[in-house]
Amino acid sequence: MSRADRDAEQDAGQDAEQRAGQDAEGPPAVPRLLEVRDLRVEFRTRDGVTEAVSGVSYGVDAGRTLAVLGESGSGKSVTAQAVMGILDSPPARVTGGRILFRGRDLLRMGEDERRRVRGARMAMIFQDALSALNPVLSVGAQLAEMYEVHQGLSRRAARARAVELMDRVRIPAARERAGDYPHQFSGGMRQRIMIAMALALEPDLIIADEPTTALDVTVQAQVMDLLAELRREYAMGLILITHDLGVVADVADTIAVMYAGRIVETAPVRDLYRRPAHPYTRGLLDSVPRLDGGGRELYAIKGLPPGPADLPPGCPFAPRCPRAQDVCRAERPPLYEVACGDASVRRASACHFWKDELDARDPIAAP
Amino acid sequence: MPATPSPPPEPAAEPGAPVLEVRDLAKVYPLTQGVLVKRQVGAVRAVDGVSFDLRRGETLGVVGESGCGKSTLARLLVTLEQPTAGEIRYRGEDITRLSGRALKAVRRNIQMVFQDPYTSLNPRMTVGDIIGEPFEIHPEVAPKGDRRRKVRELLDVVGLNPEYINRYPHQFSGGQRQRIGIARGLALNPEIIICDEPVSALDVSVQAQVVNLLARLQEEFALSYLFIAHDLSVVRHISDRVAVMYLGRFAETGTGPQIYDHPTHPYTQALLSAVPVPDPDSHRGRERIILAGDVPSPAAPPSGCRFRTRCWKARERCATEVPRLAVPSSFQGADSPAAHPSACHFAEERLPAPSG
């Protein structure tokens, strides 16, 4: 997508942006495509109850991309699975919050209705296409099945649509390859099949969980380009879950950074990269080696993320934070609204000292 | 296969004599068919004529996509695999022909750190046993009574609490496990460590810790690293020189600035342009080269230049003539960072638009 395109879109979507961030005010006039409010997810195991998602709120509008950035165990995938309604429960259980899809709460829908929404209106793309596809069915049959089940097409018509779809995601020789099985495709091609499957019913929302993590760089670029193009063409909302700061910078409009089951910062992508308002975000940005070189020591966030069972009482990032004060260890910071001088930019940070962080010029020096 | 041995890469500009000289190294795996009577129906040329020097205290980075042969290269260098052809000279001696005691002595000096910190540690062994196991095979390094002390020392060196000596791998996080793997690699005081994707499985914040640890250890123990990874940013960060590998061969070699700022091989250029950069403004001047298709199977590599099937510059000559890894004639004698070995008939710089 060219820069000009995106800028134009940015302006058009400014209203939507206004509504981004936390849900401080009442419900907006037009419901957002997806809005998650104060979601909580628990895992009940023999060892006790742990909270994996602790009050997460985010939203995305049609035609926009929200990136959810976080390291393993941050709760980013669990949140997405809760939205899709595919949590393994037990042990997982949604204990609070709302998941509004076009204003309707998915958590309060009946099982049948929810299944219809999930099948037709929202779809998910997983990281590992090989284990997400059925190994004993040809890919053509798997794609056709969607049309047979959801749209009642005849086998023959469904098969034709499947080939069309494979063509659409640029699988070469789609007609000949429709009879092949998942293992006969390369990693990049399998990921395209997953994308095709997600697109089949032209959903309004796609959630992609680390869609390119298992792919090589050159193939990753192909797949991300395809995904961005399709999102634009179908005006879908896209939630991109990833740990890769590079991928996010390329495609997202808004970013939500997660840490220890919470959102610690949300901002439009440029603002976040230029002036992070949370020390964790800054630490992440500084710990990535740059392609344009420099052999200096990398900034490394000290220590490890806390497990859900041993969360510190105050800010969950405090034990690793170079900025931490007594208040951080005692008092859990709410998601503050961040005033960054530009009133059109909505952003939020869960740091008591977001202002200092925002105004910090230099990267935090490694101790 | 190159018929004539290729000349060694450019002589040492960096301090340190070569500790490892690799010449025309090749590994071919036969493909067989049939259960009782096996017929060879083909061959996978995983590594196909690779030459380089590794100098004392230096890091040579090897980047490439999956299936390019970089992990086979690693296994050849630590003599886990026998090469089909070529030489690996350690301190001037070809180690591919060694066996018995002589081979054991060499293996002590060339150690490996693996990618996956979850499967490369035995879950039933304590950390002390894992790190101390190399001493069982090489008792001359640490006499029996001294081993626990050595292991504690090693834990301390890699930044783990020596009190953890009796814990099991599952009690550690991914980053800590990778530290255990590194401690095991260091146990025998090797000269060379082959790192095969040592940080790929780690989270960003932990990855930086391990990269810094590897850099510190290199300085402390004058180690030479062969650092294999698919992450181009990490490789640039840690390497003195970089080799770009494609389908069993080196496509381009040079220093960080030569490869990253002045690449002349189309594959390197495409690879670099595809790397997602954590800066939303970096794309203004960046032209992305999106390659068509996938890497061909190493069982049926294209004739001539291996990259020609995905290359936008490919012409007839590329199908018939294998390009040699050498400084391209157009750059020979030129005092330019573009004058470095590149295996392309039509090597040239693509001038990047100014970024930012």
Side-chain angles (χ1 to χ4, degrees), chain A residues 3 71-72 186 216 218 220 222 225 246-247 249-250 270 273-274 289 291-294 296-298 301 303 320, chain B residues 65-66 173 203-205 208-209 212 233-234 236-237 260 274 276-281 283 288 290-291 293-294 310:
Chain A
R3 175 55 60 188
E71 298 184 281
S72 34
S186 68
D216 280 320
T218 55
Q220 177 178 320
Q222 296 168 356
D225 267 31
V247 170
D250 275 1
R270 283 230 193 100
Y273 281 80
R274 250 190 235 142
L291 201 56
D292 46 18
R296 70 193 163 79
E297 194 173 350
L298 289 178
I301 302 174
R320 306 176 73 191
Chain B
E65 299 182 278
S66 40
S173 69
D203 273 322
V204 188
S205 69
Q209 295 172 357
N212 287 341
S233 313
V234 171
R236 171 154 202 188
H237 180 82
Y260 286 80
V277 174
D279 177 0
D281 289 327
H283 303 290
R288 269 217 175 169
I290 303 276
L291 288 178
D294 291 310
R310 301 173 78 196

Side-chain angles (χ1 to χ4, degrees), chain A residues 251-276:
Chain A
V251 297
D253 300 304
T254 314
I255 299 191
V257 182
M258 285 190 72
Y259 186 80
R262 291 169 176 77
I263 288 183
V264 293
E265 179 166 10
T266 60
V269 63
R270 283 230 193 100
D271 299 274
L272 185 117
Y273 281 80
R274 250 190 235 142
R275 286 176 79 196

